[in-house]
Amino acid sequence: MANHKSAIKRIRQTVGRRLRNRYYAKTARNAVRALRNTNQKEEALELYKKVSSMLDKLAKKNVIHKNKASNLKSKLALHVNKLN
């Protein structure tokens, strides 16, 4: 166990940060899933803007890797463009 005050505080911060990151990552995964299940083009375009913004923010905060965010956005854009 930690012996220093700073180490104890660092553990508290890490736990809180981990929980927060898990929440944001799970929310983004659900949003991506919702977009993939959408069949209307107009609705998909609106969702795509929100989801891509969400992915960019997560990549900026290092919750997910920037390449993963780019790959997801690319695949989602292909899905949206295929819709009629």
Side-chain angles (χ1 to χ4, degrees), residues 40-80:
Q40 279 77 30
K41 180 122 180 165
E42 298 81 21
E43 186 181 340
L45 284 171
E46 288 179 29
L47 261 176
Y48 178 72
K49 289 178 186 176
K50 292 178 184 175
V51 171
S52 64
S53 172
M54 187 184 299
L55 291 172
D56 285 337
K57 287 176 187 173
L58 290 178
K60 183 180 176 184
K61 294 179 183 177
N62 290 322
V63 176
I64 60 173
H65 196 272
K66 65 177 183 171
N67 291 353
K68 181 175 178 67
S70 294
N71 288 335
L72 282 170
K73 285 170 43 180
S74 174
K75 288 177 184 176
L76 291 172
L78 285 173
H79 170 71
V80 171

Side-chain angles (χ1 to χ4, degrees), residues 1-15:
M1 194 59 206
N3 291 323
H4 298 286
K5 274 183 150 181
S6 61
I8 293 168
K9 179 178 178 181
R10 185 56 73 181
I11 289 168
R12 281 197 319 264
Q13 289 176 330
T14 304
V15 168

Side-chain angles (χ1 to χ4, degrees), residues 12-24:
R12 281 197 319 264
Q13 289 176 330
T14 304
V15 168
R17 203 172 291 128
R18 188 181 121 259
L19 291 174
R20 195 173 317 117
N21 288 344
R22 279 178 58 193
Y23 168 76
Y24 289 135

